[in-house]
Amino acid sequence: MDTHISEELIEKLRRAKSVAALTGAGISAESGVPTFRGDEGLWKKFSPEELANFDAFMRNPDMVWEWYNYRRKIIEEVQPNPGHLALSKLEEMIPSFVVITQNVDNLHQRAGSKNVVELHGNILRNRCLSCGRIIESETLDFSEGVPRCPYCGGMLRPDVVWFGEMLPEEALQKAYRAAETCDVFMVLGTSAVVYPAASLPEIAFRQGAFIVEINPEVTPVTDFAHVSLRGKTGEILPKIIEAFSK
Ligand code: APR
């Protein structure tokens, strides 16, 4: 299990003007947020076909909301872990640093990261199906079932990207630009199988970025990563910060 943090990796980070970090559910696993495809993953227990797509929501909005409220409760009860905190530290130490996250759990922002690109939305926000407004969670009234938009009365849905839906255009363009221009591209806690997010490491590699992966398991990125560390982000990222700060 390669967890050695090489001098080459630290040197690449020290010389980098711009670093981008793509994160997935794995970076939040040590906080207690379930991943999707791990042994205890959400998709082992729940079917994305029934819960994470628009048709399923229109068929049974109460069930979908019940599931998102279950996930919100988990997320509200956990804390960012040393992996999240390390990235917010790196943002202070590197001229241009961006977190591109597939996670909807808001934990990067709670850890202090400022430059966060949310590719799949944010579970703590809601969107009106009719007027498109974003409605903050704490105002939601579930007393009469599916919550309604306080402005137009339309049905509210969680502001996350479901399977088969387009990613938010602005976020996607920011992510592509970061992958096309960064010196170092970090791939942290993602199985790298869901596109278009999974295309970002390849784009960065092709333009000459130094690719660093951290994951207890091998992924499709492992083949072309310059450094692939087999371990947990919450354990390895703080060590990278320590070595970088020396
Ligand atoms: N540190 C680093 N990586 C970890 C850790 C950890 N502590 N624990 C698990 N992992 C790794 C797993 O080995 C796996 O490769 O994190 C990865 C999690 O993969 P997935 O569960 O597939 O999650 P993710 O890649 O974020 O999924 C992408 O799929 O279901 C959709 O929209 C959802 O954003 C999600 C997207």
Side-chain angles (χ1 to χ4, degrees):
M1 191 134 126
D2 180 8
T3 59
H4 170 63
I5 295 163
S6 65
E7 197 36 52
E8 182 198 18
L9 165 55
I10 300 305
E11 207 36 46
K12 290 283 182 190
L13 283 172
R14 283 211 180 101
R15 272 196 262 121
K17 290 193 184 50
S18 125
V19 175
L22 174 68
T23 67
I27 199 166
S28 296
E30 291 154 271
S31 293
V33 180
T35 65
F36 293 94
R37 293 170 189 82
D39 295 343
E40 299 300 309
L42 288 170
W43 299 149
K44 289 277 179 341
K45 295 185 211 146
F46 305 97
S47 106
E49 289 72 30
E50 280 167 35
L51 293 165
N53 69 71
F54 187 74
D55 298 342
F57 180 72
M58 295 314 282
R59 261 197 317 274
N60 193 341
D62 294 303
M63 181 174 76
V64 173
W65 263 117
E66 202 183 314
W67 191 60
Y68 277 91
N69 284 337
Y70 152 76
R71 290 182 59 198
R72 279 183 178 174
K73 198 161 175 313
I74 294 173
I75 286 165
E76 279 156 10
E77 286 164 1
V78 301
Q79 298 301 324
N81 67 59
H84 299 107
L85 298 168
L87 293 187
S88 74
K89 193 96 190 95
L90 264 184
E91 188 175 336
E92 294 162 13
M93 302 160 99
I94 292 175
S96 158
F97 184 86
V98 61
V99 172
I100 303 164
T101 191
Q102 298 167 85
N103 302 343
V104 296
D105 58 28
N106 211 45
L107 289 176
H108 286 299
Q109 294 91 332
R110 284 174 56 195
S113 287
K114 306 275 179 305
N115 195 8
V116 180
V117 174
E118 296 176 317
L119 287 179
H120 296 162
N122 187 311
I123 201 171
L124 301 183
R125 283 195 310 263
N126 316 284
R127 195 165 75 235
C128 174
L129 286 186
S130 309
C131 69
R133 279 189 182 88
I134 297 294
I135 309 292
E136 298 302 333
S137 289
E138 49 277 359
T139 60
L140 286 187
D141 168 13
F142 280 86
S143 59
E144 282 154 40
V146 171
R148 295 279 160 176
C149 173
Y151 299 93
C152 77
M155 217 165 39
L156 294 181
R157 58 165 286 174
D159 186 29
V160 297
V161 177
W162 284 327
F163 286 102
E165 292 188 322
M166 303 291 282
L167 274 57
E169 190 54 29
E170 198 193 330
L172 194 53
Q173 290 316 317
K174 275 189 186 159
Y176 281 141
R177 246 191 333 275
E180 286 155 2
T181 57
C182 62
D183 303 305
V184 176
F185 193 91
M186 307 178 87
V187 187
L188 310 171
T190 180
S191 55
V193 294
V194 175
Y195 283 75
S199 71
L200 296 167
E202 293 155 32
I203 292 169
F205 176 77
R206 274 203 298 271
Q207 60 87 343
F210 188 80
I211 310 295
V212 182
E213 179 183 45
I214 304 177
N215 194 315
E217 292 169 17
V218 167
T219 75
V221 172
T222 310
D223 287 349
F224 61 86
H226 297 94
V227 171
S228 187
L229 302 173
R230 288 283 82 66
K232 298 181 174 183
T233 42
E235 293 167 6
I236 296 179
L237 284 171
K239 290 189 187 138
I240 290 178
I241 298 289
E242 203 186 313
F244 185 90
S245 321
K246 276 199 190 117

